[in-house]
Amino acid sequence: LNTHSVFRWQHGMFPCLDLDFVLELNPDMIICLIDDILSIKEGLRARNTDIFHLWELFAWREEEVWFSNFIADSVGKIRGREIPFYIYPKKGGHENFYNLISNHDIKKAYLSFPITGIHGAELEEIESFKAAIGQKLVVFDPYAIKDRELILTYQTLKDESDAEVMPGLKKASFKDRKLFPDAKWYIELDDISPLSLSTISFPPELKGRDLLSVIKTIDSQIISRDHLLIDQSDIVVIYIK
């Protein structure tokens, strides 16, 4: 059975799963498939259903994970047996996914490897390591979700705007309220002002203000997701060079 656990529509949240129905179905396991936020946004746009702010997609993915986890835990307690729950990145590979659902005896491993500053031969070495481990184990690769690329893009654009855009904006703005004592509003700049007014091409295109609304959320979700990936694993396999 493939379904959402919750829907978001018109900026509200609606449950999709009824506990009584899941109890009747009596599943062997529950898996929550997850994806990069930008991939989700591209899919919504392709289906003409992209009505969501970026922060809502981050929230929706978390709601799917934790409500699915709650359902698995509740059904397990009522049935008196453990219902395994997994989060699985869609980019984790179909063979790996097949082993997860069909081979219950195979060990499950969380992969830990360096990410920052890795390129060229080192990257190829890590990819070979991941492929080799995947021949023997079900692997959960934290880097299969690449939301952190949004942070790297944000930092690059911020550096560019600080150097190129901000000086001109400061000249064009007015902050001296003594000159406009009756003004109900005035322009005030901070370090993120240029980004809030921009459109960013990834693809898909994003409004700068949408990116700013989630920038502090991304790392927190990565940490939370890593804990879940580790908890659902039998072992942690670490690549050290």
Side-chain angles (χ1 to χ4, degrees):
L1 175 66
N2 179 23
T3 178
H4 284 282
S5 57
V6 294
F7 275 124
R8 270 192 171 267
W9 195 251
Q10 300 298 337
H11 312 296
M13 187 181 74
F14 304 90
C16 303
L17 290 177
D18 183 279
L19 186 57
D20 290 337
F21 171 74
V22 181
L23 282 169
E24 185 177 342
L25 181 66
N26 199 21
D28 296 314
M29 65 172 61
I30 293 177
I31 302 173
C32 184
L33 292 172
I34 59 176
D35 205 354
D36 303 335
I37 290 298
L38 290 185
S39 296
I40 294 171
K41 195 160 188 67
E42 283 188 284
L44 290 168
R45 288 187 177 177
R47 296 189 295 274
N48 294 316
T49 55
D50 182 22
I51 64 170
F52 305 99
H53 299 297
L54 198 61
W55 71 264
E56 289 180 290
L57 298 182
F58 275 89
W60 189 359
R61 188 175 60 188
E62 289 288 279
E63 290 156 359
E64 292 267 20
V65 168
W66 289 106
F67 190 69
S68 300
N69 193 357
F70 169 76
I71 288 289
D73 186 54
S74 298
V75 171
K77 288 178 179 177
I78 293 171
R79 290 296 187 202
R81 63 179 178 88
E82 183 181 1
I83 306 294
F85 170 77
Y86 301 98
I87 56 173
Y88 187 83
K90 291 176 67 177
K91 294 182 176 67
H94 60 277
E95 291 184 9
N96 197 46
F97 182 71
Y98 175 80
N99 284 329
L100 176 63
I101 63 175
S102 65
N103 189 345
H104 296 177
D105 295 325
I106 192 171
K107 293 288 186 182
K108 301 164 186 66
Y110 173 88
L111 300 186
S112 178
F113 48 87
I115 295 175
T116 305
I118 299 298
H119 50 79
E122 287 181 304
L123 182 59
E124 291 180 8
E125 207 171 300
I126 290 174
E127 290 301 320
S128 296
F129 155 77
K130 288 159 60 175
I133 297 298
Q135 296 296 314
K136 301 179 181 297
L137 305 168
V138 170
V139 296
F140 299 121
D141 179 358
Y143 200 53
I145 298 294
K146 293 183 170 59
D147 291 340
R148 208 165 196 285
E149 292 179 357
L150 288 166
I151 295 180
L152 300 178
T153 299
Y154 161 78
Q155 291 171 338
T156 299
L157 293 174
K158 184 180 180 304
D159 291 342
E160 290 177 357
S161 69
D162 285 349
E164 299 177 13
V165 182
M166 187 62 79
L169 282 180
K170 285 181 177 178
K171 290 180 181 179
S173 68
F174 59 89
K175 290 186 177 181
D176 191 350
R177 302 204 69 171
K178 294 179 182 178
L179 299 177
F180 305 93
D182 299 323
K184 300 300 182 184
W185 64 273
Y186 65 102
I187 298 172
E188 183 173 6
L189 297 177
D190 55 28
D191 290 341
I192 63 173
S193 294
L195 289 183
S196 66
L197 301 172
S198 65
T199 297
I200 305 164
S201 296
F202 275 97
E205 283 193 345
L206 293 178
K207 299 297 183 185
R209 56 184 176 271
D210 281 344
L211 178 58
L212 291 168
S213 72
V214 301
I215 207 68
K216 293 182 179 179
T217 301
I218 295 172
D219 276 341
S220 297
Q221 287 200 0
I222 289 173
I223 293 169
S224 174
R225 185 165 57 247
D226 280 355
H227 279 291
L228 286 174
L229 291 172
I230 292 170
D231 286 346
Q232 69 190 29
S233 302
D234 300 306
I235 57 175
V236 175
V237 179
I238 304 174
Y239 176 90
I240 301 175
K241 186 174 180 179

